[in-house]
Structures are given as C-alpha cells and as structure tokens.
Amino acid sequence: MRVVLQNLTKVFPSRQKKGEVVVAVDHFNFEIPDGKLIGLLGPSGCGKSTALNLICGLETPTEGKIFFGDDDVTELPPENRGVGLVFQNYALYPHLTVRQNILFPLQNLRGSEKLSKQEMEERALQAAKLVQIEMLMERKPSELSGGQQQRVAIARALVKMPRVLLLDEPLSNLDARLRLQTREEIRRIQRETEITTVFVTHDQEEAMSISDLIVVMKAGVVNQIGKPQEVYDNPVNLFVARFLGTPSINLFDGSVKAGKLFIGGEEVLSVPGAEDGEVTVGIRPEGFILKKDGAFTCTLERVEVMGRDTSVVCTHTSSLNDNIRAIIPAEDAADASGKQARFDLKPAKVLLFNPKTEERILFSFGEKQEAKA
Ligand code: ADP
Ligand code: MG
C-alpha cells in the first residue's frame, strides 16, 4: 500500500503558558512506496512519533492530507485505516495469554470482516509463527523476556493483516544483543509480508541497517530522503552529515582558494569547481589514507586496535571536534607512531559545507563526480 503525505503539518499549542507553539511536523510532502520499509530518523523531539501518529490517526493534522493508495484517510479514525501499530513499551494485556493477546484485535471485527473462531485461531497461529513465538502461546506476558514480549506485540499488530505497519522505536527497551536480533527479524517479516512499513528510530545505525529508504528529520522538517548509502555518501547539509555514521564525521575549519582546499595553512586536496571562501570541511573516518608524506598533518594522540581496523586518534588546531578519528585497515597502521600522523584524503569522503547556511558545497573529483541533493 502506497502512502502519500501531502503538506502534512501538526502544530501543538505550547506546553508552557506563554511559550511558542511547536510545529512538530512541518509540511511533509513525500510518498512511501508500496511494500517498502521506511526509516523515519531524527533526534529525540524532532516529531517522529507525531508523524507516525498522524499516519495512524491518533493525531489529527493541523493541515494537509494522508492517502493510502488512492483513499484519502485523513478523516478516518484509526480503527478504519487498516494499520498495525507497535510501540516502544509492548503494552500487552498482562492477564491474557500470548494467544489471547494476539487474538484480541480479531475479536472486535464486525460485519463482513467478522471471522469464525477457527479462522481467528488460524490467523493468530500464523502471526505467531511469523515472529517465531508459536511455542509460547499459553504463557502470560510476565513469563516472557522483553524480546519475546515485543514479538507478541508485533504478532498482534500483524494479525489483522494491516495495510500499513507502523513501528515507533520498537527496539528501544531491548538490550543490545536482542536489539540487533529483533531488527533483523523485523526486516525478515517485512520482506515476507511485503507490508508497507514505517519504522521510527533515533538510532541512525538501526535505521540505516534495515530501511529501503530513510527520511532524516530535524525539528519537524524533512531534511533528506534516500537510500541509506546515498544519504550517507551525499548528505545535503551538515546536520545530515553529522547525524549519520559511527564514528561520526570529522569536522574542520577550512578554506578554498583557486580549486584547492586548505586546512590550517596546508593544502590538503584538490577541489575543482568549489568557489573560493571559508568552508566547513567534513572528513569521514574512512576517508583518511595514512602516508609518510601525506598532505594533511595531524597530531597523533593514540592508536586504538579494533581487530580488522585500527582507529588512529589525532588532534588538529582547525578541528571542530575534540578528537579526529581515522579508521584505517589494520595492516596499514604500522606507520602510526611518533608525534605526527600524515594523511592523504579520499576525495569522495571529503564533504564541504557553507559555514553559515550549513548547506553542502559541491566540487568535482575525476569521473566519479556525483553529489545529488
Ligand atoms: P520524537 O518522537 O521525534 O521524539 P515527538 O513527535 O514526540 O518527537 O514530539 C515532537 C515535538 O512536539 C516535541 O517538541 C514535543 O514536545 C511536542 N509535542 C508532542 N506531543 C505534544 C502534545 N500533545 N502537546 C504539545 N506538544 C507536543
Ligand atoms: Mg517518539
């Protein structure tokens, strides 16, 4: 089911007496393609839950429309939209068994949707199998781990065969290992069922790893939409560049003169096509090549061994971060000793931004020149 958001806006009155209104969702205009998993990503408070609640009908928009396929669902109550919802806290009925919890949404179906008892049982078992909890059907929620409880919640959301599945930080209450495992499960279930899914998270790694498309939000405004790798490689602005990637992008004050990029007086890279002036330079941790006569000289602080890769930690007077992190293959790290580390830079991993507007500045590098907004 394709979902279309048109000028979708939600303004909340201030929670303080004389405070300003909050534009939690500011003119969303995008389409969620049929059968895809979209990661709605942004820092806490940026409006992700509000956007999700608008799609499911728990909130009424101040302005704009929502379509499921060709149906305008803007005025429909949540129960008539055909959505499945999963929240961070699993919110299961504690006095009901797993089976009864999953059956619950089916028992309220009326009219032509009404199912026989046997049909309901079959559907519940099918949903339980999808999330692999069919052996736990007679347990109470208190007899389950957090991960199992969240699976029950997902089964309950799936049992009505929703047109759209909406997940609001569904992994936040799980420990690190379960989080990884459960996110892969969600991805598998989504692929198997091909239900159009919106997955809300503040965790960029989580969103990048399971989404077909990510939507990066800041303060109610969509900053960028794209495939995870495309957005990572070609962020439209400094906010998006900083929000994606661990370790995060290294930032420096720099300047461009006659197609050359300078950081702290050193000419570090050729940047044909970039205009002269001050720039904020972003270098991805994987953009450094350790080299004895490298163009960019940093002060070496320490080397952290991480197995496959090595993290070379440096400082620089023009750095905007406390530390610079260069991730280099372990076999190349032999050169990282002494007081200095010198690097050549991979042009595709160097991003320039206007220091005032924080918008991306493009330059060309060889044939591969490509940077889309
Ligand atoms: P997120 O899910 O990204 O953390 P939310 O959608 O919960 O963000 O909130 C977005 C903004 O809207 C926040 O500033 C929040 O304080 C505000 N907000 C959310 N719900 C309400 C409400 N019912 N009344 C007033 N302000 C709200
Ligand atoms: Mg939220």
Side-chain angles (χ1 to χ4, degrees):
M1 178 65 52
R2 182 174 55 108
V3 176
V4 180
L5 309 182
Q6 234 173 48
N7 277 326
L8 192 66
T9 301
K10 181 68 181 180
V11 181
F12 287 116
S14 167
R15 280 174 169 150
Q16 281 95 40
K17 244 189 176 170
K18 280 191 182 160
E20 295 192 355
V21 299
V22 178
V23 186
V25 171
D26 194 351
H27 294 86
F28 273 24
N29 274 303
F30 61 88
E31 199 178 303
I32 302 169
D34 180 32
K36 299 290 184 199
L37 193 160
I38 297 290
L40 192 54
L41 175 66
S44 178
C46 75
K48 303 180 296 296
S49 295
T50 305
L52 206 75
N53 291 343
L54 289 168
I55 297 173
C56 80
L58 291 174
E59 294 279 6
T60 313
T62 312
E63 195 190 324
K65 287 189 181 301
I66 303 164
F67 296 87
F68 285 5
D70 294 328
D71 297 349
D72 183 345
V73 300
T74 317
E75 305 288 328
L76 277 186
E79 60 273 20
N80 297 344
R81 291 193 185 189
V83 291
L85 267 175
V86 178
F87 297 105
Q88 173 176 344
N89 51 350
Y90 334 115
L92 302 174
Y93 300 107
H95 58 289
L96 300 182
T97 63
V98 167
R99 192 173 56 83
Q100 290 164 333
N101 264 287
I102 299 174
L103 279 172
F104 195 83
L106 299 179
Q107 286 162 340
N108 296 318
L109 295 176
R110 294 286 172 262
S112 62
E113 289 196 306
K114 198 167 165 31
L115 300 173
S116 73
K117 198 152 189 312
Q118 194 191 340
E119 283 170 321
M120 285 198 268
E121 292 288 348
E122 277 168 15
R123 285 260 210 110
L125 184 63
Q126 196 187 351
K129 279 186 175 160
L130 204 53
V131 298
Q132 298 172 341
I133 49 159
E134 67 273 23
M135 60 304 211
L136 305 173
M137 295 296 257
E138 300 312 319
R139 291 208 196 165
K140 294 273 174 66
S142 60
E143 298 164 329
L144 302 176
S145 70
Q148 290 168 335
Q149 289 185 50
Q150 194 55 301
R151 282 164 196 248
V152 178
I154 296 169
R156 191 177 57 181
L158 289 170
V159 76
K160 278 211 302 197
M161 302 182 178
R163 301 199 281 178
V164 180
L165 182 62
L166 303 169
L167 309 168
D168 193 350
E169 313 240 10
L171 309 179
S172 299
N173 283 356
L174 307 181
D175 65 44
R177 184 182 294 267
L178 260 178
R179 226 169 24 236
L180 273 178
Q181 194 189 337
T182 313
R183 86 180 185 206
E184 281 160 23
E185 287 279 285
I186 289 176
R187 183 64 200 169
R188 176 185 61 75
I189 293 163
Q190 197 275 330
R191 286 241 164 92
E192 278 179 37
T193 59
E194 293 184 331
I195 296 174
T196 307
T197 300
V198 183
F199 182 100
V200 162
T201 178
H202 64 274
D203 181 333
Q204 56 91 20
E205 195 192 323
E206 199 167 280
M208 300 254 287
S209 65
I210 69 168
S211 307
D212 293 308
L213 289 174
I214 56 172
V215 176
V216 186
M217 287 179 70
K218 178 191 176 189
V221 178
V222 170
N223 276 220
Q224 193 165 4
I225 302 176
K227 291 183 181 160
Q229 190 69 46
E230 282 172 12
V231 179
Y232 178 82
D233 289 339
N234 284 307
V236 293
N237 60 31
L238 190 57
F239 170 77
V240 176
R242 293 175 76 166
F243 200 69
L244 301 184
T246 28
S248 56
I249 193 163
N250 300 288
L251 298 176
F252 303 86
D253 283 326
S255 60
V256 174
K257 262 189 226 101
K260 309 283 182 202
L261 175 63
F262 292 83
I263 299 177
E266 258 181 330
E267 181 189 323
V268 297
L269 191 70
S270 219
V271 289
E275 262 182 48
D276 286 8
E278 303 296 308
V279 290
T280 300
V281 185
I283 308 175
R284 291 286 184 200
E286 67 276 22
F288 296 88
I289 303 164
L290 197 61
K291 229 172 168 189
K292 275 202 182 66
D293 57 351
F296 184 33
T297 313
C298 298
T299 306
L300 180 65
E301 295 295 329
R302 60 182 185 277
V303 175
E304 293 174 5
V305 178
M306 304 185 296
R308 185 166 53 90
D309 297 322
T310 298
S311 180
V312 179
V313 183
C314 302
T315 53
H316 191 283
T317 49
S318 296
S319 172
L320 299 173
N321 316 91
D322 292 340
N323 280 315
I324 305 159
R325 263 178 199 278
I327 306 290
I328 53 174
E331 62 269 24
D332 299 342
D335 283 350
S337 55
K339 285 206 172 69
Q340 283 188 339
R342 299 184 64 161
F343 303 98
D344 275 350
L345 302 178
K346 299 178 189 168
K349 296 291 178 181
V350 177
L351 307 171
L352 304 184
F353 302 93
N354 180 316
K356 292 207 180 69
T357 65
E358 303 199 345
E359 298 294 316
R360 177 96 178 272
I361 298 168
L362 299 180
F363 61 93
S364 49
F365 47 89
E367 283 171 16
K368 278 213 209 146
Q369 185 257 327
E370 193 186 14
K372 291 171 278 196

